[in-house]
Every structure is written in structure tokens, then in C-alpha cells.
Amino acid sequence: MLPRPSIFRPILRMSGPVSRRSIAVHPRTGGNPFIERQANRALPDVGSTRSFNLLTIPVFLVAVTGSCLAIFNYQKSSSSVVASTLYALRVHPQARALLGDEIQFKHHFPIIWGELNQLHGNIDINYTVKGTKGEGIMRFKSTRKTRMGLFETEEWYLETKDGQKLVLLDGAQMVPKSE
């Protein structure tokens, strides 16, 4: 007759406090390598590395400042205000007549100048654009007077390289060149 398997056998195997930790042993001495460590080389000169460390501080500050500026500019260029003003410029018939088709940012990585603070109600930005016929600077300024009020656009124009100013507000006309 065959023996019956016990249902308690797997439980007994798991419950035993058997510890099988391997202890690291130094290959030459056979002792603990962490306690019996000896310095077998000279310590570095502290004075020589200090000047090198002081030279890395300006490099670090320039890198952090550049990264912050790039992050803040990316946040501005991803804003709905910038996207909306660029779209409105693309579909504006007089802007298309001045700049041509395919109106876009002038550079691959656009720089958005000015303040874009929707929380406090201040938007005053400008950026460079280009088309197939020419290029220019688009300026947009809008403020919100009260906390829950609507934004009022104060300025919105396109200034081309040759000095022409095209006012993009509804019902406005082209302003003659300033001298």
C-alpha cells in the first residue's frame, strides 16, 4: 500500500526559521574584508581638488540657469495664449498678405519674450514669426482688471522687418510706418 501524502508537509517546510546567509570572506586572509581593510595607497591632496571644485560652481550655475530659462520658455510656448495668437495670425487675411503662407515661429525653438501670467491677469508677450514672403514680430498685450473679470486686449499687432505695423484687433486698420 502506498503512503498517503500529508497536507501539512508544505506548511511545515515554510514555517521553519532556517537561515542560510553566506558571509563574505577576504580571499587572501580569510577574515572579514570590511573590518580588516588597510590603506595601501597615499591619500589625495585636498588642496589640488579644491580649486577644481571651485571652478565647477560657475559651470553648474550656468547649467541650472540655462535649464530654468529653457523650462520657463517651453511653458510659455506651450501656452494656449501663444497657440491661439499664432493660429489667429495664420488665418488673418492681411497677415497672410504680408507674411505669405505657412506662418510659423521664426526659429525651431521659439523664444517667447515678456510676461505670461494668466493667474494675475497680465499677458504681455511678443515672439518672432515667419512666412513664405517675410518675417516679423507679433506682439500681444491683454489685462484682466478684476479677479473674475474677462481679459481685455490692449495691443495686438504684427510688425514686419520693413517697419509696417498691422493691427490684428477686430475692425482695426494698418498703421503707417513709424519714422
Side-chain angles (χ1 to χ4, degrees):
M1 185 166 176
L2 293 172
R4 290 181 30 195
S6 172
I7 57 171
F8 298 111
R9 198 171 289 161
I11 297 173
L12 291 175
R13 276 190 218 151
M14 288 188 279
S15 65
V18 178
S19 174
R20 294 188 179 149
R21 292 180 50 194
S22 60
I23 299 173
V25 178
H26 193 276
R28 281 188 231 144
T29 62
N32 188 346
F34 301 113
I35 296 175
E36 299 174 7
R37 186 164 297 225
Q38 296 176 358
N40 55 3
R41 59 188 163 91
L43 294 174
D45 184 21
V46 178
S48 66
T49 59
R50 185 175 182 149
S51 62
F52 176 74
N53 289 343
L54 288 177
L55 289 176
T56 60
I57 291 173
V59 173
F60 173 75
L61 292 175
V62 166
V64 168
T65 303
S67 298
C68 287
L69 290 175
I71 289 169
F72 295 144
N73 189 58
Y74 176 75
Q75 184 181 8
K76 284 185 201 177
S77 66
S78 301
S79 169
S80 61
V81 173
V82 173
S84 299
T85 55
L86 186 61
Y87 175 76
L89 190 65
R90 286 178 179 151
V91 298
H92 197 280
Q94 293 173 340
R96 290 177 70 104
L98 281 175
L99 297 177
D101 295 331
E102 299 177 17
I103 298 173
Q104 58 189 351
F105 291 118
K106 182 178 177 184
H107 303 288
H108 186 66
F109 297 106
I111 298 177
I112 312 297
W113 297 99
E115 180 183 13
L116 183 56
N117 190 346
Q118 295 177 353
L119 181 67
H120 292 113
N122 296 323
I123 300 172
D124 188 5
I125 58 171
N126 58 24
Y127 52 87
T128 56
V129 293
K130 69 176 181 178
T132 55
K133 291 182 187 175
E135 56 189 44
I137 297 175
M138 200 285 310
R139 178 170 165 75
F140 181 76
K141 183 174 183 177
S142 182
T143 56
R144 187 180 64 210
K145 305 286 188 223
T146 62
R147 183 173 171 249
M148 296 301 288
L150 298 174
F151 277 93
E152 296 176 13
T153 303
E154 297 172 8
E155 287 183 342
W156 188 15
Y157 63 86
L158 171 69
E159 186 172 358
T160 60
K161 256 187 160 181
D162 58 354
Q164 288 184 356
K165 237 184 197 182
L166 172 65
V167 179
L168 299 169
L169 290 171
D170 292 333
Q173 298 298 319
M174 192 179 321
V175 177
K177 280 196 257 184
S178 59
E179 297 179 33

Short mmCIF file of all heavy atoms in Angstrom, two decimals, residues 29-74:
data_model
loop_
_atom_site.label_atom_id
_atom_site.label_comp_id
_atom_site.label_asym_id
_atom_site.label_seq_id
_atom_site.Cartn_x
_atom_site.Cartn_y
_atom_site.Cartn_z
N THR A 29 43.24 36.66 3.20
CA THR A 29 43.42 36.50 4.65
C THR A 29 42.38 35.59 5.28
O THR A 29 42.59 35.06 6.36
CB THR A 29 43.34 37.86 5.34
OG1 THR A 29 42.06 38.42 5.12
CG2 THR A 29 44.41 38.80 4.84
N GLY A 30 41.24 35.43 4.65
CA GLY A 30 40.20 34.58 5.21
C GLY A 30 39.37 35.28 6.26
O GLY A 30 38.50 34.68 6.86
N GLY A 31 39.61 36.57 6.51
CA GLY A 31 38.88 37.32 7.52
C GLY A 31 37.80 38.19 6.91
O GLY A 31 37.49 38.10 5.71
N ASN A 32 37.21 39.03 7.73
CA ASN A 32 36.15 39.93 7.29
C ASN A 32 36.79 41.07 6.50
O ASN A 32 37.61 41.81 7.03
CB ASN A 32 35.40 40.48 8.50
CG ASN A 32 34.17 41.26 8.11
OD1 ASN A 32 34.00 41.62 6.95
ND2 ASN A 32 33.32 41.51 9.08
N PRO A 33 36.41 41.25 5.23
CA PRO A 33 37.06 42.29 4.44
C PRO A 33 36.66 43.71 4.82
O PRO A 33 37.36 44.64 4.48
CB PRO A 33 36.61 41.97 3.01
CG PRO A 33 35.33 41.26 3.18
CD PRO A 33 35.45 40.49 4.47
N PHE A 34 35.56 43.88 5.54
CA PHE A 34 35.10 45.21 5.88
C PHE A 34 35.75 45.74 7.15
O PHE A 34 35.87 46.93 7.36
CB PHE A 34 33.58 45.22 6.03
CG PHE A 34 32.88 44.79 4.77
CD1 PHE A 34 32.18 43.60 4.73
CD2 PHE A 34 32.96 45.55 3.62
CE1 PHE A 34 31.56 43.20 3.58
CE2 PHE A 34 32.34 45.15 2.47
CZ PHE A 34 31.63 43.97 2.44
N ILE A 35 36.17 44.89 8.02
CA ILE A 35 36.79 45.31 9.27
C ILE A 35 38.30 45.41 9.13
O ILE A 35 38.94 46.31 9.65
CB ILE A 35 36.40 44.34 10.41
CG1 ILE A 35 34.90 44.40 10.65
CG2 ILE A 35 37.18 44.66 11.68
CD1 ILE A 35 34.41 43.40 11.65
N GLU A 36 38.92 44.53 8.40
CA GLU A 36 40.36 44.46 8.31
C GLU A 36 40.92 45.21 7.11
O GLU A 36 41.96 44.85 6.59
CB GLU A 36 40.80 43.01 8.26
CG GLU A 36 40.38 42.24 9.49
CD GLU A 36 40.68 40.76 9.35
OE1 GLU A 36 41.32 40.38 8.36
OE2 GLU A 36 40.26 40.01 10.22
N ARG A 37 40.26 46.23 6.63
CA ARG A 37 40.73 46.97 5.47
C ARG A 37 41.89 47.87 5.86
O ARG A 37 41.85 48.53 6.89
CB ARG A 37 39.59 47.83 4.90
CG ARG A 37 39.96 48.51 3.62
CD ARG A 37 38.75 48.99 2.94
NE ARG A 37 37.91 47.85 2.58
CZ ARG A 37 37.33 47.70 1.42
NH1 ARG A 37 37.47 48.62 0.51
NH2 ARG A 37 36.60 46.66 1.16
N GLN A 38 42.88 47.90 4.98
CA GLN A 38 44.05 48.73 5.23
C GLN A 38 44.27 49.66 4.05
O GLN A 38 44.00 49.29 2.91
CB GLN A 38 45.28 47.86 5.42
CG GLN A 38 45.18 46.96 6.64
CD GLN A 38 46.39 46.03 6.74
OE1 GLN A 38 47.25 46.03 5.88
NE2 GLN A 38 46.42 45.24 7.81
N ALA A 39 44.80 50.84 4.33
CA ALA A 39 45.11 51.79 3.27
C ALA A 39 46.41 51.38 2.63
O ALA A 39 47.45 51.34 3.27
CB ALA A 39 45.20 53.20 3.84
N ASN A 40 46.35 51.07 1.35
CA ASN A 40 47.57 50.65 0.66
C ASN A 40 48.02 51.68 -0.37
O ASN A 40 48.80 51.38 -1.25
CB ASN A 40 47.37 49.30 -0.02
CG ASN A 40 46.18 49.29 -0.95
OD1 ASN A 40 45.54 50.32 -1.13
ND2 ASN A 40 45.89 48.14 -1.53
N ARG A 41 47.50 52.92 -0.26
CA ARG A 41 47.92 53.99 -1.15
C ARG A 41 47.84 55.30 -0.38
O ARG A 41 47.17 55.40 0.64
CB ARG A 41 47.05 54.05 -2.40
CG ARG A 41 45.59 54.28 -2.14
CD ARG A 41 44.80 54.14 -3.44
NE ARG A 41 43.40 53.95 -3.16
CZ ARG A 41 42.50 54.92 -3.05
NH1 ARG A 41 42.87 56.16 -3.21
NH2 ARG A 41 41.25 54.64 -2.81
N ALA A 42 48.49 56.31 -0.94
CA ALA A 42 48.51 57.61 -0.28
C ALA A 42 47.18 58.32 -0.49
O ALA A 42 46.51 58.15 -1.52
CB ALA A 42 49.64 58.46 -0.85
N LEU A 43 46.79 59.10 0.50
CA LEU A 43 45.55 59.86 0.38
C LEU A 43 45.74 61.02 -0.60
O LEU A 43 46.83 61.55 -0.73
CB LEU A 43 45.13 60.40 1.75
CG LEU A 43 44.74 59.34 2.78
CD1 LEU A 43 44.52 60.00 4.13
CD2 LEU A 43 43.51 58.60 2.34
N PRO A 44 44.67 61.43 -1.32
CA PRO A 44 44.83 62.53 -2.28
C PRO A 44 45.06 63.86 -1.57
O PRO A 44 44.64 64.06 -0.43
CB PRO A 44 43.49 62.54 -3.04
CG PRO A 44 42.53 61.87 -2.12
CD PRO A 44 43.32 60.88 -1.32
N ASP A 45 45.69 64.77 -2.29
CA ASP A 45 45.96 66.11 -1.76
C ASP A 45 44.66 66.92 -1.80
O ASP A 45 44.06 67.07 -2.86
CB ASP A 45 47.05 66.78 -2.58
CG ASP A 45 47.43 68.13 -2.00
OD1 ASP A 45 47.16 68.35 -0.80
OD2 ASP A 45 47.98 68.95 -2.75
N VAL A 46 44.23 67.42 -0.68
CA VAL A 46 42.97 68.15 -0.60
C VAL A 46 43.05 69.49 -1.32
O VAL A 46 42.09 69.94 -1.94
CB VAL A 46 42.57 68.36 0.88
CG1 VAL A 46 41.29 69.16 0.99
CG2 VAL A 46 42.41 67.03 1.58
N GLY A 47 44.20 70.12 -1.33
CA GLY A 47 44.36 71.43 -1.95
C GLY A 47 44.21 71.40 -3.47
O GLY A 47 43.74 72.35 -4.07
N SER A 48 44.60 70.32 -4.12
CA SER A 48 44.53 70.28 -5.58
C SER A 48 43.09 70.10 -6.08
O SER A 48 42.74 70.61 -7.13
CB SER A 48 45.40 69.15 -6.12
OG SER A 48 44.87 67.90 -5.71
N THR A 49 42.27 69.40 -5.36
CA THR A 49 40.89 69.20 -5.80
C THR A 49 40.00 70.38 -5.45
O THR A 49 38.96 70.57 -6.06
CB THR A 49 40.29 67.92 -5.17
OG1 THR A 49 40.33 68.04 -3.76
CG2 THR A 49 41.05 66.70 -5.62
N ARG A 50 40.41 71.18 -4.48
CA ARG A 50 39.58 72.31 -4.08
C ARG A 50 39.46 73.35 -5.18
O ARG A 50 38.39 73.88 -5.44
CB ARG A 50 40.14 72.95 -2.82
CG ARG A 50 39.27 74.04 -2.30
CD ARG A 50 39.78 74.58 -1.00
NE ARG A 50 38.86 75.60 -0.55
CZ ARG A 50 38.63 75.87 0.70
NH1 ARG A 50 39.25 75.19 1.63
NH2 ARG A 50 37.78 76.80 1.03
N SER A 51 40.55 73.64 -5.87
CA SER A 51 40.48 74.61 -6.96
C SER A 51 39.64 74.07 -8.12
O SER A 51 38.92 74.83 -8.77
CB SER A 51 41.89 74.97 -7.44
OG SER A 51 42.54 73.82 -7.96
N PHE A 52 39.73 72.79 -8.36
CA PHE A 52 38.89 72.19 -9.41
C PHE A 52 37.42 72.28 -9.02
O PHE A 52 36.57 72.58 -9.86
CB PHE A 52 39.29 70.73 -9.64
CG PHE A 52 38.42 70.04 -10.63
CD1 PHE A 52 38.52 70.31 -11.99
CD2 PHE A 52 37.47 69.11 -10.22
CE1 PHE A 52 37.71 69.68 -12.91
CE2 PHE A 52 36.66 68.48 -11.13
CZ PHE A 52 36.78 68.76 -12.48
N ASN A 53 37.11 72.01 -7.77
CA ASN A 53 35.71 72.10 -7.31
C ASN A 53 35.18 73.51 -7.39
O ASN A 53 34.01 73.74 -7.69
CB ASN A 53 35.59 71.57 -5.89
CG ASN A 53 35.76 70.06 -5.82
OD1 ASN A 53 35.65 69.38 -6.84
ND2 ASN A 53 36.03 69.56 -4.64
N LEU A 54 36.02 74.50 -7.11
CA LEU A 54 35.58 75.89 -7.20
C LEU A 54 35.33 76.30 -8.64
O LEU A 54 34.50 77.16 -8.91
CB LEU A 54 36.62 76.82 -6.55
CG LEU A 54 36.70 76.75 -5.02
CD1 LEU A 54 37.80 77.66 -4.51
CD2 LEU A 54 35.37 77.12 -4.39
N LEU A 55 36.03 75.70 -9.59
CA LEU A 55 35.80 76.00 -11.00
C LEU A 55 34.50 75.37 -11.52
O LEU A 55 33.93 75.86 -12.48
CB LEU A 55 36.97 75.51 -11.85
CG LEU A 55 38.27 76.30 -11.70
CD1 LEU A 55 39.37 75.66 -12.51
CD2 LEU A 55 38.07 77.74 -12.12
N THR A 56 34.05 74.32 -10.89
CA THR A 56 32.81 73.68 -11.35
C THR A 56 31.56 74.42 -10.88
O THR A 56 30.50 74.23 -11.46
CB THR A 56 32.73 72.22 -10.85
OG1 THR A 56 32.77 72.20 -9.43
CG2 THR A 56 33.87 71.39 -11.43
N ILE A 57 31.67 75.27 -9.87
CA ILE A 57 30.50 76.01 -9.38
C ILE A 57 29.92 76.94 -10.44
O ILE A 57 28.71 76.92 -10.67
CB ILE A 57 30.84 76.75 -8.06
CG1 ILE A 57 31.06 75.73 -6.94
CG2 ILE A 57 29.74 77.72 -7.68
CD1 ILE A 57 31.56 76.33 -5.65
N PRO A 58 30.73 77.77 -11.14
CA PRO A 58 30.13 78.62 -12.18
C PRO A 58 29.53 77.80 -13.33
O PRO A 58 28.49 78.17 -13.87
CB PRO A 58 31.29 79.47 -12.68
CG PRO A 58 32.33 79.39 -11.64
CD PRO A 58 32.13 78.11 -10.92
N VAL A 59 30.16 76.70 -13.68
CA VAL A 59 29.61 75.84 -14.74
C VAL A 59 28.25 75.29 -14.31
O VAL A 59 27.30 75.28 -15.09
CB VAL A 59 30.60 74.70 -15.08
CG1 VAL A 59 29.98 73.71 -16.05
CG2 VAL A 59 31.89 75.27 -15.62
N PHE A 60 28.17 74.86 -13.06
CA PHE A 60 26.91 74.35 -12.54
C PHE A 60 25.83 75.44 -12.53
O PHE A 60 24.69 75.19 -12.94
CB PHE A 60 27.11 73.81 -11.12
CG PHE A 60 25.85 73.42 -10.43
CD1 PHE A 60 25.18 72.26 -10.76
CD2 PHE A 60 25.30 74.23 -9.44
CE1 PHE A 60 23.99 71.91 -10.13
CE2 PHE A 60 24.13 73.89 -8.80
CZ PHE A 60 23.47 72.72 -9.15
N LEU A 61 26.17 76.65 -12.09
CA LEU A 61 25.20 77.74 -12.05
C LEU A 61 24.71 78.13 -13.44
O LEU A 61 23.52 78.40 -13.64
CB LEU A 61 25.79 78.95 -11.33
CG LEU A 61 26.03 78.78 -9.83
CD1 LEU A 61 26.72 80.00 -9.26
CD2 LEU A 61 24.75 78.47 -9.10
N VAL A 62 25.62 78.14 -14.41
CA VAL A 62 25.23 78.44 -15.80
C VAL A 62 24.29 77.36 -16.33
O VAL A 62 23.28 77.65 -16.99
CB VAL A 62 26.48 78.61 -16.69
CG1 VAL A 62 26.11 78.59 -18.16
CG2 VAL A 62 27.20 79.89 -16.34
N ALA A 63 24.60 76.10 -16.03
CA ALA A 63 23.75 75.00 -16.50
C ALA A 63 22.36 75.06 -15.87
O ALA A 63 21.35 74.86 -16.55
CB ALA A 63 24.41 73.66 -16.19
N VAL A 64 22.28 75.35 -14.57
CA VAL A 64 20.99 75.42 -13.89
C VAL A 64 20.18 76.62 -14.41
O VAL A 64 18.97 76.51 -14.67
CB VAL A 64 21.19 75.50 -12.36
CG1 VAL A 64 19.90 75.88 -11.65
CG2 VAL A 64 21.70 74.18 -11.84
N THR A 65 20.84 77.77 -14.60
CA THR A 65 20.15 78.96 -15.10
C THR A 65 19.64 78.73 -16.52
O THR A 65 18.49 79.06 -16.83
CB THR A 65 21.10 80.18 -15.07
OG1 THR A 65 21.57 80.35 -13.74
CG2 THR A 65 20.39 81.43 -15.53
N GLY A 66 20.48 78.14 -17.36
CA GLY A 66 20.04 77.84 -18.72
C GLY A 66 18.89 76.86 -18.76
O GLY A 66 17.95 77.01 -19.55
N SER A 67 18.94 75.85 -17.91
CA SER A 67 17.84 74.88 -17.85
C SER A 67 16.55 75.53 -17.38
O SER A 67 15.48 75.25 -17.92
CB SER A 67 18.21 73.73 -16.90
OG SER A 67 19.34 73.06 -17.37
N CYS A 68 16.63 76.40 -16.38
CA CYS A 68 15.43 77.10 -15.89
C CYS A 68 14.82 77.98 -16.98
O CYS A 68 13.61 77.99 -17.17
CB CYS A 68 15.76 77.92 -14.66
SG CYS A 68 16.03 76.94 -13.18
N LEU A 69 15.68 78.72 -17.68
CA LEU A 69 15.18 79.58 -18.75
C LEU A 69 14.52 78.75 -19.86
O LEU A 69 13.48 79.13 -20.39
CB LEU A 69 16.31 80.43 -19.32
CG LEU A 69 16.83 81.53 -18.40
CD1 LEU A 69 18.04 82.22 -19.04
CD2 LEU A 69 15.75 82.54 -18.07
N ALA A 70 15.12 77.62 -20.20
CA ALA A 70 14.54 76.75 -21.23
C ALA A 70 13.20 76.17 -20.77
O ALA A 70 12.24 76.09 -21.55
CB ALA A 70 15.51 75.63 -21.58
N ILE A 71 13.10 75.79 -19.51
CA ILE A 71 11.85 75.23 -18.99
C ILE A 71 10.75 76.29 -18.97
O ILE A 71 9.62 76.04 -19.40
CB ILE A 71 12.07 74.64 -17.58
CG1 ILE A 71 12.90 73.36 -17.68
CG2 ILE A 71 10.75 74.37 -16.87
CD1 ILE A 71 13.40 72.85 -16.35
N PHE A 72 11.07 77.49 -18.49
CA PHE A 72 10.06 78.55 -18.44
C PHE A 72 9.63 78.97 -19.85
O PHE A 72 8.46 79.25 -20.10
CB PHE A 72 10.56 79.75 -17.66
CG PHE A 72 10.78 79.46 -16.19
CD1 PHE A 72 11.82 80.05 -15.51
CD2 PHE A 72 9.96 78.59 -15.52
CE1 PHE A 72 12.02 79.78 -14.17
CE2 PHE A 72 10.15 78.31 -14.18
CZ PHE A 72 11.18 78.91 -13.50
N ASN A 73 10.57 79.03 -20.78
CA ASN A 73 10.23 79.39 -22.16
C ASN A 73 9.37 78.29 -22.80
O ASN A 73 8.45 78.59 -23.55
CB ASN A 73 11.49 79.63 -22.99
CG ASN A 73 11.16 80.21 -24.33
OD1 ASN A 73 10.54 81.26 -24.41
ND2 ASN A 73 11.53 79.52 -25.38
N TYR A 74 9.67 77.03 -22.50
CA TYR A 74 8.85 75.94 -23.03
C TYR A 74 7.43 76.03 -22.48
O TYR A 74 6.46 75.78 -23.19
CB TYR A 74 9.46 74.58 -22.69
CG TYR A 74 8.60 73.43 -23.12
CD1 TYR A 74 8.53 73.08 -24.46
CD2 TYR A 74 7.84 72.72 -22.21
CE1 TYR A 74 7.73 72.03 -24.87
CE2 TYR A 74 7.04 71.69 -22.61
CZ TYR A 74 6.99 71.33 -23.95
OH TYR A 74 6.18 70.30 -24.35
#
